Amino acid sequence: MSSSSITNTAVVATTPMLPLFSMTILLLLLLLLCLFAFCCFVFRLSLAGRSGYLKLTLPPGSMGWPYVGETFQLYSNDPTTFFALKQKRYGPVFKTHILGCPCVMVSSPEAARFVLVTRAQLFKPTYPASKERMIGPQAIFFQQGDYHAHLRRLVLRAFLPEAIRGSVAGIEAVALRALRSWDGRLVNTFRELKTYAFNVAILSIFGKDLEISCLEDLQQCYYTLEKGYNSMPVNLPGTLFYRAMKARKQLAQIVANIVCSRRTQRNTSPNGLLGSFMDAKEDLSDDQIADNVIGVIFAARDTTASVLTWIIKYLGDNPNILRAVTISRTLGVVVRRAAGYLIPKGWKVLPLFRNIHHSPENFSDPEKFDPSRFEVAPKPNTFMPFGNGTHSCPGNELAKLEMLVLLHHLTTKYTWSTVSSPRGMQFGPFVLPTNGLPLRFSLKSTAA
């Protein structure tokens, strides 16, 4: 018999066995998968029964498209309207999917308190990974437990009323310098107020003795870093993210140099927030100090500037209130449960402060600018401009002080007027008047 005949015979003899062998393996794999799935189901069922989760379900809502979820729907409209429609359809607790993350939104005071205060230990504060890299992983925003409590105590020590009382004159000088620079000019109000908030933050962190060259370097590096906060995290030369991370490295070095210089100045004790961080008893590393210094600047800049922008806009739109302010000279898989629902580990839980603050159930005519409404204390957990609980803003007293100081001098010494600019709002990520509210400021002729 030829070799070809032997080969053909072998093929014919073994071919019918291959499908049978493959089928057997496939059936065994399917049986193993089914057994594994059944065991997982029984295990989770037993966990649910022991923990009381058996009766709980995910909150109602829609998750949108795969991965992108409902991100486009959110950012193509007024976010307040988007969430208000969700709330109307699904109730005060609902699920959605934003920026690649499954989320649970809570829009009632009770649910917000549950997340922020009552069961705060169940929820870890998170930011996008790219922003965490830019600010610094050891900053207070990303922490929980003992380290967070330690950092919070250091920040509060520097920013409580008795601590910042000595900063009033310095903050006033920063405010007056800013207002003089606006006199007679058409300015982008939000942009100018960001500069004001930045300068107050630097004063509060480093004190009044910071060298001008250090201040300029800090400002240049931070502004470059800021441009990358909302960029795509692509760390390639030429991208915003790459430039931001390079500036972040330079910024950390500047802070380290200032810390080193302050430690060698034996005749003086560092003041401000840096002094609190540098206390020998607190044992913070240079990297921890840099991360938290950058974090405080980040927290103090856009938030305060956006609030001041809206206050100035609404005061200009309401002459009667502006007159009252001027006369008085004053101006505030582990699973978890939340509000009766099951929330899987890893999901984001976001209290919708704006929806709570703008709810007609909490405030009558909520869209109206009416400061007199706060002459009577709001109902509990309905007004939380600085958050609530262990992660509430530790710098809220400083923020209120810097706003009051600027508004006092602005309302008593200056006038302002709008220019031809589209009315409305812009979102990105802060809600602002269109184009940052262009205004022309002028010193009153009778101002002292």
Side-chain angles (χ1 to χ4, degrees):
M1 185 179 291
S2 67
S3 60
S4 60
S5 300
I6 295 174
T7 304
N8 291 339
T9 303
V11 171
V12 171
T14 57
T15 298
M17 298 178 62
L18 288 175
L20 180 61
F21 178 76
S22 300
M23 185 67 71
T24 302
I25 295 298
L26 182 60
L27 286 174
L28 286 174
L29 289 174
L30 287 174
L31 285 172
L32 287 173
L33 286 173
C34 290
L35 181 62
F36 177 75
F38 178 75
C39 291
C40 290
F41 173 75
V42 171
F43 176 71
R44 294 185 65 180
L45 195 63
S46 64
L47 275 182
R50 289 199 304 268
S51 307
Y53 294 139
L54 186 59
K55 298 179 181 179
L56 298 180
T57 61
L58 286 171
S62 59
M63 304 298 282
W65 293 94
Y67 184 73
V68 296
E70 298 184 306
T71 304
F72 295 137
Q73 294 94 316
L74 170 64
Y75 285 99
S76 61
N77 299 286
D78 179 346
T80 304
T81 302
F82 173 84
F83 289 125
L85 291 173
K86 292 285 185 181
Q87 181 181 348
K88 182 178 180 180
R89 182 173 181 181
Y90 299 114
V93 180
F94 55 89
K95 67 175 184 257
T96 182
H97 197 277
I98 304 294
L99 292 172
C101 299
C103 307
V104 171
M105 306 292 184
V106 297
S107 58
S108 71
E110 298 77 17
R113 178 174 174 78
F114 181 93
V115 173
L116 299 170
V117 181
T118 310
R119 292 291 186 270
Q121 73 277 8
L122 299 178
F123 302 94
K124 179 183 178 182
T126 60
Y127 281 74
S130 58
K131 188 161 288 188
E132 184 172 335
R133 288 175 62 188
M134 291 183 190
I135 295 174
Q138 299 182 89
I140 187 172
F141 312 113
F142 316 120
Q143 308 306 320
Q144 201 173 24
D146 292 342
Y147 180 54
H148 173 266
H150 180 53
L151 290 174
R152 183 175 176 83
R153 180 173 60 80
L154 297 183
V155 176
L156 284 172
R157 187 170 70 180
F159 288 162
L160 284 175
E162 55 268 26
I164 61 177
R165 189 174 292 117
S167 302
V168 173
I171 294 173
E172 186 174 43
V174 174
L176 289 172
R177 187 165 64 246
L179 290 171
R180 284 195 296 268
S181 73
W182 303 353
D183 185 23
R185 294 175 51 218
L186 174 64
V187 302
N188 181 308
T189 307
F190 178 61
R191 188 181 303 150
E192 294 295 330
L193 288 170
K194 285 176 67 172
T195 300
Y196 168 67
F198 175 85
N199 289 333
V200 171
I202 295 298
L203 172 69
S204 304
I205 294 168
F206 298 103
K208 61 182 180 180
D209 299 323
L210 185 66
E211 295 181 3
I212 295 297
S213 59
C214 286
L215 174 60
E216 292 174 347
D217 290 342
L218 278 168
Q219 186 179 54
Q220 181 178 354
C221 287
Y222 185 80
Y223 286 7
T224 302
L225 172 64
E226 180 186 51
K227 292 176 182 178
Y229 274 145
N230 296 308
S231 63
M232 293 294 292
V234 179
N235 200 18
L236 294 176
T239 64
L240 280 176
F241 186 81
Y242 177 86
R243 290 196 291 269
M245 291 305 298
K246 184 177 179 180
R248 170 63 176 79
K249 185 176 180 179
Q250 294 171 337
L251 200 55
Q253 187 59 55
I254 294 170
V255 174
N257 291 342
I258 295 172
V259 169
C260 181
S261 175
R262 296 287 173 90
R263 283 178 176 147
T264 61
Q265 296 172 3
R266 298 182 179 181
N267 296 329
T268 61
S269 176
N271 55 13
L273 181 62
L274 185 62
S276 186
F277 285 158
M278 288 179 61
D279 191 322
K281 295 179 294 184
E282 306 304 346
D283 196 29
L284 288 186
S285 68
D286 285 1
D287 286 341
Q288 288 173 319
I289 292 174
D291 287 2
N292 283 282
V293 164
I294 295 169
V296 168
I297 298 173
F298 163 75
R301 188 161 146 79
D302 283 13
T303 50
T304 301
S306 63
V307 171
L308 279 170
T309 300
W310 281 110
I311 291 175
I312 292 172
K313 172 181 168 46
Y314 285 131
L315 288 176
D317 291 345
N318 296 268
N320 292 335
I321 296 177
L322 176 58
R323 279 194 293 272
V325 168
T326 304
I327 293 171
S328 65
R329 300 196 176 195
T330 58
L331 288 173
V333 166
V334 175
V335 293
R336 296 171 175 167
R337 290 181 293 174
Y341 291 106
L342 178 149
I343 299 178
K345 181 180 179 180
W347 282 41
K348 312 299 182 186
V349 181
L350 292 85
L352 298 174
F353 294 113
R354 183 173 174 83
N355 289 64
I356 294 172
H357 294 166
H358 285 250
S359 170
E361 296 179 2
N362 302 327
F363 299 98
S364 60
D365 199 3
E367 301 302 322
K368 180 181 179 182
F369 180 66
D370 181 14
S372 65
R373 71 170 82 245
F374 296 104
E375 293 173 359
V376 177
K379 292 182 290 185
N381 307 305
T382 60
F383 187 61
M384 299 172 284
F386 295 101
N388 200 1
T390 59
H391 289 279
S392 61
C393 175
N396 69 84
E397 295 297 336
L398 174 64
K400 288 185 283 188
L401 173 62
E402 68 178 290
M403 287 190 284
L404 287 171
V405 168
L406 184 129
L407 289 169
H408 165 73
H409 289 288
L410 175 65
T411 57
T412 57
K413 299 177 181 178
Y414 289 83
T415 62
W416 61 93
S417 58
T418 59
V419 295
S420 55
S421 176
R423 300 182 64 86
M425 297 182 290
Q426 64 187 46
F427 310 95
F430 289 91
V431 181
L432 293 169
T434 302
N435 295 335
L437 189 63
L439 294 175
R440 189 178 301 278
F441 293 84
S442 302
L443 185 68
K444 292 180 180 178
S445 57
T446 57

